[in-house]
Amino acid sequence: MPLKHAHILVAACLLALPAKARADDLQALVDKGKAVATAADCMACHTIPQTGKPFAGGYAIASPLGTIYSSNITPSKKAGIGDYSEADFERAVGKGVPKDGAHLYPAMPYDAYAGVTDEDVHALYAYFMHGVVQVDEAPRRGSRHPRPVPAGCP
């Protein structure tokens, strides 16, 4: 390569470094999010044991209000949380209110996650958007409550 074109190679290398660093940062964030999801046991409710696809929902949760089915939390825009912004995700995890404004109570123990740090929610969001396989099948739907139901009310 003639020396007069060396600046193009140098420029390309310099441009590639930030992209590689960003990819490494994203992977580290996804890895942290996976650790948080594992610690929070998200799979326990969002995956049907033995037969379900990871985080695709459909797990039946018996409650005094009837059977409630867990939601798909894969990055599917069709059936999951793929169109959630990070603020939408934080609201669902911390306040129990998904993007559609319905309430996840009593199935989602969001009050148990209200103390999760912003950094951990950020990592969880990165994991669910970039580290989980998208599942476009909607889980079976059961009860959805238009308003919060006080604890202890049948």
Side-chain angles (χ1 to χ4, degrees), residues 53-134:
K53 295 176 183 170
F55 305 110
Y59 179 70
I61 301 165
S63 84
L65 301 170
T67 302
I68 299 166
Y69 296 88
S70 64
S71 56
N72 178 332
I73 56 172
T74 73
S76 169
K77 290 184 185 250
K78 179 179 172 186
I81 60 169
D83 65 349
Y84 273 43
S85 67
E86 192 167 332
D88 295 332
F89 181 78
E90 186 280 327
R91 185 174 175 219
V93 171
K95 295 184 174 37
V97 180
K99 189 171 183 161
D100 68 6
H103 292 271
L104 298 172
Y105 185 85
M108 166 70 170
Y110 65 89
D111 55 335
Y113 304 115
V116 173
T117 67
D118 292 345
E119 183 179 302
D120 285 345
V121 171
H122 180 61
L124 271 174
Y125 181 76
Y127 173 60
F128 284 115
M129 292 302 171
H130 302 286
V132 170
V133 174
Q134 173 178 312

Side-chain angles (χ1 to χ4, degrees), residues 43-60 70 72 74 133 135 137 139:
M43 193 173 279
C45 290
H46 291 279
T47 304
I48 298 171
Q50 285 100 29
T51 60
K53 295 176 183 170
F55 305 110
Y59 179 70
S70 64
N72 178 332
T74 73
V133 174
V135 178
E137 301 158 18

